[in-house]
Amino acid sequence: MGVVIESSVWVPSSSVYIFIFLSCFFSLSLFPFYLSKHAPTKSPPFYDHPTFASSLRFQRYFLLLYSLASVLEGLWSVYGEFELVYYGITKEVTVTFMLIGFGAALFVGSFLGLLSDLIGRKKSCLVFYIFHLVVGIWKRITSSPSFWVANVCLSLATSIFSFSFETWAVVEHDKGHRQDLLNETFWLMTFFESAALIGSQVMSNWMVGGNLEKEIACPSTAAILTAIVGIICISRVYGGSPQTVTFKEYKVSFYSYILCDRRIWLLACAQSCLHFSIVVFWILWAPTLVADGREVYLGLTYPCLLGARMLGSTLFPWFINAPLRTEDCLVYAFIIQGLLLSIIAFDYQEIGALVTQYFLFHACVGLILPSLARLRTMYVPNELRGGMISLSLAPTNAAILFILMQRGYYRTVENSEVIAFAAVGLFAAAGCMYVLKRLGKQPYQNWHKL
């Protein structure tokens, strides 16, 4: 008598999507009422401010460009894995491509922020779109594209994405625009980025469809068109400020204001630890979820995690208008993230419980990203911001390279050990925020102008 083993595929409940949508809606809807009653200081209505029109116009224009850039980032991250499988690339070769990409980000991308501060932030954003345009054309005209070339270009584009748009927004808001609008821009960047990543997944699935032979190049076409739109928009409007600082002056300023300031080192360490945990998560979330042969619809789980990040970003304006300091908020958020990754690393759980912890982790990410951006505005001079961000990511890329070699080639570490190491980094980030609070001046001083 044969034994029939029934296998079930885990799918997120539709109530999860409804919960995320309603939570974001109520968080955004109720915040104005909270602000009117609990704001620490009363400010004049935003529409009475003389620069209201120009500030709002720039914010909308900037968020449009940032959303287009996020779509490009998400398009290749979703479509790239499918493309490797389609062309029959083995796991070992895939690891090699990842090593090449992170190597380019480490040895070249770490210094692009310094270059951005010298040549201008708008030009850096333009280079980002050009990289994606080149990769899209390369994949469109070649039947069997060279993936290492594409990986290098996309890795450098991701490095530029990590600092150029934020730096550009801060510099533009410093030209007489309202500074409270800058805090709003920070969390809207996280919100729109997450929404754009979900949209890029939908776009990729729709374009590929069922006919792989004919539709395999469609995402490349979409990337080309999106990059062209971004290049046109960024070239025609809002010309960048002329860069008058010389390399010698920049070097002296960077040494004085960045390398000699302990607070910047603490902020950079926390930023690096967060970025490392996010990269580790996206590399290992799927293998952890489908461990022991469990079946999961990853394509339906992915939007839930990004939705959690959107929800976390909507909590940011609540916290910055509360008596709690930003550093205190980050201490608690980092500790929660560290505990979640510790549980994921060492405690085998059912899929539902594991996805819940993934959800909470990304909700914390949505809160932490704009909070760190706010702290950078408080402590890092605008003229040095890009270099500080790109150099702070160098330890992350070096650690990822080391882990990929140990795990991908030599098999000397397990996935659980890598996740545990990321958890330790998050606890270290919480310690950095605690020390930063003790070193920071009371009250805050906005000294980001040299």
Side-chain angles (χ1 to χ4, degrees):
M1 181 177 179
V3 178
V4 178
I5 301 177
E6 295 185 359
S7 62
S8 59
V9 181
W10 191 89
V11 180
S13 172
S14 58
S15 59
V16 176
Y17 303 102
I18 298 175
F19 169 77
I20 295 173
F21 175 79
L22 293 179
S23 298
C24 292
F25 175 79
F26 284 117
S27 178
L28 296 175
S29 302
L30 297 178
F31 174 70
F33 298 99
Y34 168 83
L35 186 62
S36 62
K37 294 183 179 181
H38 299 88
T41 57
K42 294 226 179 243
S43 58
F46 187 52
Y47 52 80
D48 290 340
H49 199 276
T51 59
F52 166 72
S54 61
S55 300
L56 194 59
R57 191 184 313 116
F58 171 75
Q59 186 190 61
R60 292 173 176 174
Y61 166 77
F62 171 78
L63 290 175
L64 171 63
L65 285 173
Y66 189 73
S67 298
L68 290 175
S70 301
V71 168
L72 288 172
E73 288 288 293
L75 199 62
W76 292 125
S77 64
V78 173
Y79 172 67
E81 296 182 12
F82 168 78
E83 190 180 32
L84 291 174
V85 174
Y86 175 81
Y87 285 105
I89 305 299
T90 63
K91 291 183 178 180
E92 291 74 14
V93 178
T94 300
V95 172
T96 302
F97 290 150
M98 294 178 67
L99 287 172
I100 293 174
F102 281 105
L106 173 62
F107 296 108
V108 180
S110 300
F111 304 99
L112 292 179
L114 306 173
L115 183 62
S116 171
D117 291 335
L118 291 171
I119 67 174
R121 292 85 190 172
K122 174 188 169 183
K123 293 180 181 178
S124 298
C125 297
L126 190 62
V127 172
F128 167 84
Y129 286 111
I130 292 175
F131 269 128
H132 280 281
L133 178 63
V134 169
V135 173
I137 294 176
W138 176 267
K139 292 189 176 184
R140 195 69 178 88
I141 64 178
T142 56
S143 58
S144 182
S146 178
F147 288 101
W148 75 267
V149 175
N151 268 23
V152 169
C153 292
L154 293 178
S155 296
L156 296 180
T158 300
S159 298
I160 296 173
F161 180 79
S162 65
F163 62 82
S164 59
F165 287 92
E166 177 190 315
T167 307
W168 184 31
V170 172
V171 171
E172 289 295 331
H173 277 86
D174 207 41
K175 298 177 181 178
H177 295 176
R178 287 176 58 114
Q179 288 302 308
D180 56 350
L181 190 64
L182 181 59
N183 290 328
E184 180 180 294
T185 303
F186 286 150
W187 74 263
L188 284 176
M189 288 173 64
T190 305
F191 187 90
F192 277 88
E193 178 188 358
S194 304
L197 291 175
I198 296 175
S200 63
Q201 181 202 25
V202 175
M203 185 187 304
S204 297
N205 293 335
W206 175 72
M207 286 186 297
V208 172
N211 193 336
L212 302 182
E213 295 294 336
K214 293 183 178 181
E215 309 296 339
I216 188 65
C218 285
S220 299
T221 304
I224 293 172
L225 296 177
T226 305
I228 291 175
V229 172
I231 291 173
I232 293 174
C233 292
I234 206 171
S235 299
R236 289 189 172 184
V237 191
Y238 289 99
S241 302
Q243 303 297 309
T244 58
V245 63
T246 64
F247 176 74
K248 184 177 180 180
E249 294 172 338
Y250 180 84
K251 182 174 63 173
V252 173
S253 299
F254 196 87
Y255 177 80
S256 302
Y257 288 96
I258 302 298
L259 299 181
C260 293
D261 193 334
R262 290 180 296 172
R263 297 174 301 177
I264 304 299
W265 281 91
L266 293 170
L267 188 58
C269 179
Q271 181 176 304
S272 181
C273 292
L274 174 69
H275 187 69
F276 176 78
S277 67
I278 293 175
V279 174
V280 167
F281 177 88
W282 286 121
I283 292 176
L284 298 179
W285 78 283
T288 304
L289 203 58
V290 299
D292 301 333
R294 300 181 294 192
E295 297 186 43
V296 183
Y297 275 137
L298 298 177
L300 297 179
T301 308
Y302 179 77
C304 292
L305 305 182
L306 295 176
R309 184 183 293 194
M310 296 171 66
L311 177 59
S313 67
T314 63
L315 299 178
F316 172 75
W318 291 78
F319 282 98
I320 64 171
N321 290 281
L324 191 67
R325 282 175 60 103
T326 305
E327 291 92 334
D328 290 326
C329 174
L330 286 172
V331 168
Y332 299 138
F334 279 129
I335 291 176
I336 292 173
Q337 279 192 310
L339 291 174
L340 289 171
L341 287 190
S342 300
I343 296 173
I344 293 172
F346 297 111
D347 185 19
Y348 179 85
Q349 302 163 80
E350 294 297 327
I351 295 178
L354 198 57
V355 172
T356 301
Q357 292 172 50
Y358 286 0
F359 183 93
L360 295 175
F361 176 85
H362 279 279
C364 292
V365 171
L367 175 62
I368 291 173
L369 288 177
S371 300
L372 286 177
R374 185 169 188 251
L375 288 182
R376 285 193 288 271
T377 303
M378 294 175 179
Y379 293 112
V380 183
N382 286 350
E383 291 78 358
L384 311 173
R385 192 183 186 109
M388 177 267 176
I389 296 176
S390 63
L391 284 179
S392 68
L393 299 182
T396 298
N397 293 322
I400 293 296
L401 276 174
F402 175 78
I403 287 175
L404 284 175
M405 293 181 64
Q406 297 300 318
R407 176 59 181 159
Y409 283 139
Y410 304 115
R411 306 288 181 180
T412 56
V413 295
E414 299 295 331
N415 291 347
S416 59
E417 296 174 336
V418 176
I419 298 175
F421 184 59
V424 172
L426 291 172
F427 289 129
C432 290
M433 290 296 100
Y434 176 78
V435 177
L436 180 63
K437 177 189 174 182
R438 297 177 65 88
L439 292 177
K441 297 180 180 180
Q442 294 284 350
Y444 282 151
Q445 293 189 0
N446 238 347
W447 62 281
H448 51 272
K449 271 191 161 186
L450 291 177

